[in-house]
Structure formats: C-alpha cells, structure tokens
Amino acid sequence: MFDTGDAIVHPTRGVGVVVDIQEREWQGSSSRYYQIELLGREPSLKLMIPVEEADELGLRRAINGSEVDEVWQVLASNPNELPSNHKTRHSQLRDKLHTGDVFQTAEVLRDLTWRQKEEDHLTTRGKRIYKEALMFLSGEVAAAQEIDVVEAETEIRERLQEIRHA
C-alpha cells in the first residue's frame, strides 16, 4: 500500500507521485484509487490506478537515494551486445524497459548510448526507446535525490557523455 506523497514507478508509464487516494463508486460498488501525477510530463499527466490492482500492474516504490550509486555503476559498466536485427533489438530493449526495473532501464540507456557511439546514429525507433528510457530514469533519479526531473536528466546525460569518451 502506498501513501500520499510516495514516489512510485509504473512499468510502462514511468515515475510519479501519489497525490491522493480516493474512494470512487462505479456500478454500485466502491473502490479505492491511487491518483498518481507522473513526473516530467508537460502538461502534467495523472493516472487513476485501483489500489487492489497495484501489485498486478507492477507498481513499486521508486528507488531511494542510496541506490542511485548502483544506477551510476550500471551506466558506467560495459554494454551488453545487442542483436544486429533491428526488430529483435528493439523488441528486446522495449521488453527490458517495460519491466519497470530501474537497473534494466539504466542498461537500456547505456546500451543505446554505446550503440550510438559505435554506429554513429540510432534508428528512429531506437531514438524513441532511448528517449523513453531517459525519461523513466530521470524521473526515478529525481525522486530518489529529491531534485527536479530536468536536473536529473542533465546529470544522466553528463554521465553518459563521460562514458562516450571513455
């Protein structure tokens, strides 16, 4: 169970904050819902998630500040070899990204950064996956460090830039 103010991660929508827990009636029955405001979205986007479906949907608490160092270690580690077939590669990356696991998200970002370095470009789909991974990771780092999403994204980009020139 999450409380108002908790930073949470939705595996396919990203990081948000529980802004309210509401009781709603629908078709004669009453249910409780988390109202979640997603971070880093302009205009702000809110989700209504039934409390009883939170586990099934894969909602989890965002990482805490002490776990951010592990994220930096993943970004700095050697990349996984990606499949040469773009359909297989994109499917594999998207599946990893949508597990909702912060470390797999960091791996996706790291691997795409290396691929861009090696190939000198990313496909349009690769760029979309990169952008989504960056948004998810920025939200999680922002929540963990209690900073703005833009600041977190800047820090991640700086660390990726260092990796590119390593």
Side-chain angles (χ1 to χ4, degrees), residues 13-146:
R13 301 288 185 200
V15 180
V17 175
V18 177
V19 293
D20 196 13
I21 301 172
Q22 300 177 358
E23 191 82 25
R24 293 257 172 126
E25 292 212 19
W26 193 67
Q27 293 184 340
S29 66
S30 180
S31 295
R32 295 180 62 179
Y33 288 82
Y34 294 119
Q35 183 178 13
I36 301 163
E37 186 169 332
L38 295 176
L39 298 178
R41 306 286 178 102
E42 291 298 325
S44 69
L45 181 61
K46 291 186 179 156
L47 301 176
M48 295 294 287
I49 305 290
V51 170
E52 63 273 358
E53 293 179 23
D55 284 342
E56 184 181 321
L57 289 171
L59 291 187
R60 66 169 175 80
R61 290 188 193 285
I63 61 170
N64 59 47
S66 65
E67 293 172 291
V68 173
D69 284 340
E70 292 177 56
V71 170
W72 302 146
Q73 289 173 10
V74 170
L75 289 179
S77 65
N78 289 327
N80 294 320
E81 191 169 325
L82 295 173
S84 57
N85 179 286
H86 70 279
K87 286 184 181 183
T88 305
R89 180 175 61 250
H90 295 148
S91 177
Q92 181 184 52
L93 290 169
R94 190 161 292 290
D95 288 348
K96 254 180 135 168
L97 182 60
H98 289 163
T99 63
D101 180 274
V102 66
F103 303 111
Q104 289 196 39
T105 300
E107 285 181 11
V108 168
L109 206 50
R110 175 202 63 206
D111 294 350
L112 284 172
T113 298
W114 277 97
R115 180 160 185 86
Q116 185 173 21
K117 176 186 170 196
E118 296 295 316
E119 302 288 324
D120 205 28
H121 75 285
L122 291 175
T123 63
T124 301
R125 241 175 162 182
K127 287 176 188 174
R128 256 188 261 134
I129 295 169
Y130 177 93
K131 186 177 178 181
E132 187 176 6
L134 182 60
M135 180 184 66
F136 284 11
L137 194 61
S138 297
E140 191 128 15
V141 168
Q145 293 184 334
E146 297 180 3

